[in-house]
């Protein structure tokens, strides 16, 4: 039973958008605020696809390449963790994280979502392009994610003076 979670990007063709079913919404804690996240489902070619909606972060001309990509992907990673509690009659055994954009999920699951994430959940991280690692300022990332400062070390998250999302996923 494979399911896919994606941001509900503006580039998704209308023919798929119209077939999505709204499942509900929840809040995602990000920094000092709680952000709306809509949950949609699409059944296509025998696969269930979930789409996480927040127009502020995802209604843009391109999937990424913006000044606030750190915040956008921090939201997406936390939204995936939150989403697991809202999926109808399903919880994954393995969560496949793709590249730096979702590489913080294993760390978040172990540091902030132990109760919400099923014990025994396994993670798989695929690196698409090692040149792009999701490197951002430590203070900025800490403010967004709220991960305890003890993880902002070279042992976990820090690399060359930056918070490195891909490194966190590898660790």
């Amino acid at each position: 039973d494979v399911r896919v979670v994606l941001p509900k990007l503006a580039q998704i063709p209308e023919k798929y958008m119209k077939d999505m079913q709204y499942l509900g919404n929840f809040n995602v804690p990000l920094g000092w605020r709680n952000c709306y996240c809509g949950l949609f489902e699409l059944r296509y070619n025998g696969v269930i696809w979930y789409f996480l909606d927040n127009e502020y972060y995802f209604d843009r001309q391109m999937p990424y390449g913006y000044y606030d990509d750190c915040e956008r992907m921090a939201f997406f990673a936390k939204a995936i963790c939150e989403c697991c509690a809202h999926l109808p009659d399903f919880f994954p055994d393995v969560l496949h994280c793709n590249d730096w954009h979702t590489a913080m999920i294993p760390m978040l699951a172990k540091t902030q979502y132990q109760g919400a994430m099923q014990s025994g959940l396994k993670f798989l991280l695929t690196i698409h392009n090692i040149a792009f690692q999701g490197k951002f300022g430590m203070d900025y990332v800490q403010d967004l994610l709220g991960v305890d400062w003890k993880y902002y070390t070279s042992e976990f998250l820090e690399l060359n003076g930056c918070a490195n999302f891909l490194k966190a996923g590898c660790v």
Side-chain angles (χ1 to χ4, degrees), residues 1 3 6 39 49 52-53 88 91 95 103 139 168:
D1 186 3
R3 299 181 186 201
L6 295 168
L39 177 60
W49 302 73
L52 301 179
D53 177 45
F91 196 91
L95 219 161
D139 289 339

Side-chain angles (χ1 to χ4, degrees), residues 74-86:
F75 169 82
F76 186 54
K78 290 194 88 168
I80 290 171
C81 293
E82 295 284 339
C83 164
C84 287
H86 297 277

